[in-house]
Amino acid sequence: GGGTGAGGAAGRAAGARARGVAATVRGGWFGFAGSAVNALSGFLLVAVVTRGLGAHGAGAVFAGVAAFTIVSNACKLGADTALVRFVSRDLELTGGAGVPALLRTAVPPALAASTACAALLFLSPALAVWLLPGLPAGQALAVVRLFALFLPVATVSLVLLGATRGYGSVVPFVGVEQIGKPVLRVVLALPLVLLAPGVLALSAAWLAPALLGAAAAWLSLRRSRAAPRGDAGGPREERPVGGERPVGGERPVPPGEFWSFAGPRALSSVFDIAGVWTGVVLLSVLGTSAEAGIYTAVGRLVTAGTLLQLAVRLAVAAQISRLLAAGLEREAEHLHRLSTRWIVLFSWPLFMLLAAFPATVLSLFGPGFGQGAAALVVLSAACVVNVGVGNAQTVVLMAGRSTWNLATAGAGFAVQLGAGIWLVPRYGATGAALAWGLAIVVDNTASALLVRRLGFRTADRGYLHAAAVAVAAVAPSAFAARLLWGDTPWGAVLGGAFAVCGFCAALWRYRVPLGVGEFLRALRKGSEGKSRRASRAN
C-alpha cells in the first residue's frame, strides 16, 4: 500500500511538473510575441500621432494616456494579481467552486475605486488644466472627461483578465492587452490623422478599443469557467498516503484574506509604475527636457530587453501558485529554476550588445541621442541583475508574501528617489540611470534573498551553463568588434553577427545541460494537445 501511494505521489508530481513546464514554455513564447507586437504598435502609434498633431498636440494625448495608465493600474487595488493567485489555488483545491465568490470579492471594490476617480476627474476643471497645461481650458476638460468615462471599463477589464490568468492561460491577456488593443489603436488613429486630426479625436481612438477589450475579457473568463478542467486542476482524489492537505484546505477564501494580500500588492504596483517615470520627472524638474527625452529612449531600450522575462512572468505565475497549492514545492522550485535559466540564456546576450554599442543603438532614435550612451551602459548592467534572478518577485507573490514584495519595491523606490535627487543635478541622464539602476539592484537582490528564504534555489548547474554560454559566446565577439571598429554601425553589425553565430554554436553544443530538449518537448506536446482538442471539437 505504501509503495503504491509513493508511486502515485511521484507520478502526480512528475505530471504536475511536466504540465507546469509546458504551460510556461507555450505561454512565455506567446507572451513574448505579444510583447513584440505591443512594442511595435506603440512605436507606430507615437509616429502616427506625432505626425498628425505635432509635438505639442501629441504631448497632450500621451500625457492623458500616461495619467490614465497610472490611475487605472492603481484602481485595480491589486485585485488582478490576487485573482491570479487565488483562482489558480482554488482550481487546484476545489476545481473552481470558489471562483464566483472570488470575483464578487475582487470586482466591486475595483469598480467603485475607478468610478470614484472618474468622478473626480470629470468634475474637476482645475485638475484638467493642471494635467494638460498646454491646451485651452475647455479642450483640456473635454479630453480629461473622455479619459474619465473609460476608466471604470478599463480597470474592471484588467481585473477580469487577472482571473483568466489564474486559469493558467495567458492567451486572453496577451490577445487583449498586447495585441488586440494596441493594433486597433493604430488602425483607428490612421484615418483620423488623415481626415480629422485632433487631440480629442485621437484620444478617443486610443480609448475606444477598451470597450471591445472589456467584452473580450468577460467572454474569455466565461469560456475559462465553462471549460472542463481535465488535468489542469480540480479536486484531487489521489493524495499521498499519510500526507496532509495543502495549507488553506478547500474552504472559500474570506474577503479579509483576499484583500490582506491584494492591498500590499496595490501599493507595490504603484511603486513599480512610479519607478519607470521617476527619472523622467526628475530630469524635467532638475535637468533639461532634452535629457528627459534621451533618458526616455534609454528606458524604452532596456524595457525591450526584459520582454522575455515579462512574458515568462505572465505564464509562470499561475503555474507556481497551482503547484504550491498542491503541496508540490519542489516542482514549483524546478519551474522557477528552469524559467530563470531560459531568461538568462536569451536576455543577457542582448544587454551585452547594448553595453558594447550604446551610442550606435541610440542613434536609431535620431541625432543627439548618443549622449545617453553612458546611461544605457549603466541600465544594461543593472538589468543583467534583474533578469539574472528570474521572476523572483512573482515567486514571492504567489507564495502569498505580498507584504514582502511591498517592502522590496518600497525600498527600491526610496533608493531611486533619494539617489536621483542627488545625482540628477550633477550627472543628468546618467545620474537618473544610476539611481534607477541602484533601485533595480536593491529590489531584485532583496527578492532573490527572500526566494531563498522560501526554500527556492535559483542557481543550479543548468543556470551556470546558461550564464557561461550567454557571456562566453557573446561578450568576446561584441567587445572585440568594439575595440577594432569602435561604437559604429559597422562595428555593431559585425560584432552582432559574430555573437549570434557563436551563441547558436554554443547553444547546440550545450543543449543537454541547458534544457533545450525539455523546451522543445514542451512545445511539441503543446502542439499535439491542440491538435487532439481540435480533432475532438470536429
Side-chain angles (χ1 to χ4, degrees):
T4 302
R12 174 170 165 263
R17 172 186 294 198
R19 290 194 298 272
V21 171
T24 300
V25 169
R26 297 193 303 273
W29 283 106
F30 183 70
F32 181 74
S35 297
V37 172
N38 186 22
L40 178 60
S41 299
F43 279 113
L44 289 175
L45 185 65
V46 169
V48 169
V49 174
T50 304
R51 180 64 62 89
L53 299 179
H56 180 73
V61 172
F62 290 115
V65 168
F68 182 88
T69 303
I70 293 171
V71 174
S72 63
N73 276 275
C75 288
K76 293 184 304 182
L77 306 177
D80 57 333
T81 304
L83 284 174
V84 174
R85 178 172 185 260
F86 287 111
V87 168
S88 58
R89 289 174 62 85
D90 187 75
L91 289 171
E92 183 66 31
L93 298 174
T94 74
V99 171
L102 286 170
L103 293 173
R104 288 193 296 271
T105 299
V107 173
L111 178 60
S114 57
T115 302
C117 286
L120 178 63
L121 291 171
F122 200 88
L123 300 174
S124 302
L127 183 59
V129 173
W130 179 77
L131 285 172
L132 302 174
L135 295 180
Q139 188 179 17
L141 182 59
V143 171
V144 169
R145 283 179 170 176
L146 181 65
F147 277 101
L149 288 174
F150 283 84
L151 184 61
V153 174
T155 301
V156 172
S157 174
L158 290 171
V159 174
L160 295 179
L161 289 172
T164 65
R165 287 178 56 202
Y167 277 89
S169 174
V170 302
V171 172
F173 180 88
V174 173
V176 171
E177 291 296 318
Q178 296 187 324
I179 297 177
K181 288 164 69 171
V183 171
L184 276 175
R185 284 165 181 157
V186 176
V187 170
L188 292 174
L190 275 172
L192 286 175
V193 164
L194 296 174
L195 301 174
V199 173
L200 189 64
L202 286 169
S203 297
W206 192 88
L207 288 165
L211 296 174
L212 291 176
W218 180 70
L219 291 173
S220 297
L221 181 56
R222 283 194 63 184
R223 183 177 179 183
S224 296
R225 291 178 60 189
R229 296 275 63 82
D231 58 2
R236 301 289 183 178
E237 296 180 359
E238 295 182 8
R239 299 278 181 181
V241 174
E244 298 181 356
R245 303 178 73 85
V247 176
E250 296 183 1
R251 61 183 176 82
V253 177
E257 182 181 347
F258 183 93
W259 289 111
S260 67
F261 174 88
R265 177 53 188 160
L267 292 176
S268 65
S269 65
V270 172
F271 286 135
D272 292 339
I273 296 170
V276 175
W277 295 100
T278 294
V280 177
V281 173
L282 288 176
L283 283 167
S284 298
V285 174
L286 304 176
T288 66
S289 58
E291 288 175 322
I294 291 170
Y295 179 79
T296 301
V298 171
R300 283 186 177 274
L301 285 172
V302 296
T303 301
T306 62
L307 287 183
L308 178 60
Q309 180 188 30
L310 297 176
V312 171
R313 178 178 300 170
L314 288 176
V316 80
Q319 304 305 322
I320 288 178
S321 176
R322 178 179 60 82
L323 291 168
L324 291 175
L328 302 173
E329 289 83 2
R330 297 286 65 81
E331 282 64 35
E333 180 192 12
H334 172 78
L335 185 57
H336 170 61
R337 289 202 313 268
L338 195 62
S339 62
T340 302
R341 182 191 312 173
W342 290 333
I343 292 169
V344 166
L345 181 64
F346 293 105
S347 297
W348 276 14
L350 178 59
F351 288 117
M352 283 184 283
L353 288 172
L354 291 177
F357 305 100
T360 298
V361 176
L362 284 168
S363 68
L364 297 174
F365 289 93
F369 281 87
Q371 298 174 26
L376 182 54
V377 171
V378 168
L379 284 176
S380 294
C383 286
V384 166
V385 178
N386 179 13
V387 300
V389 303
N391 287 311
Q393 294 95 334
T394 300
V395 174
V396 171
L397 285 169
M398 292 303 104
R401 306 301 199 276
S402 59
T403 53
W404 292 9
N405 179 252
L406 173 60
T408 59
F413 178 73
V415 167
Q416 182 180 7
L417 186 61
I421 291 172
W422 187 76
L423 291 170
V424 166
R426 292 167 174 79
Y427 305 106
T430 304
L434 283 167
W436 193 12
L438 284 172
I440 289 171
V441 171
V442 168
D443 187 358
N444 284 276
T445 302
S447 297
L449 293 175
L450 292 176
V451 164
R452 182 62 180 166
R453 184 176 178 182
L454 290 171
F456 281 56
R457 289 186 303 116
T458 299
D460 58 4
R461 182 175 296 181
Y463 180 96
L464 296 177
H465 275 97
V469 166
V471 174
V474 175
S477 301
F479 289 100
R482 169 65 185 269
L483 289 173
L484 290 172
W485 296 289
D487 190 355
T488 63
W490 183 245
V493 169
L494 288 178
F498 288 134
V500 169
C501 292
F503 179 77
C504 291
L507 187 64
W508 175 256
R509 169 65 178 80
Y510 297 101
R511 60 191 181 279
V512 174
L514 291 174
V516 174
E518 188 169 4
F519 177 86
L520 294 175
R521 284 195 299 273
L523 282 179
R524 185 171 62 251
K525 288 180 180 178
S527 300
E528 293 171 354
K530 288 182 180 179
S531 299
R532 287 195 297 269
R533 287 192 294 271
S535 298
R536 288 197 296 267
N538 293 329

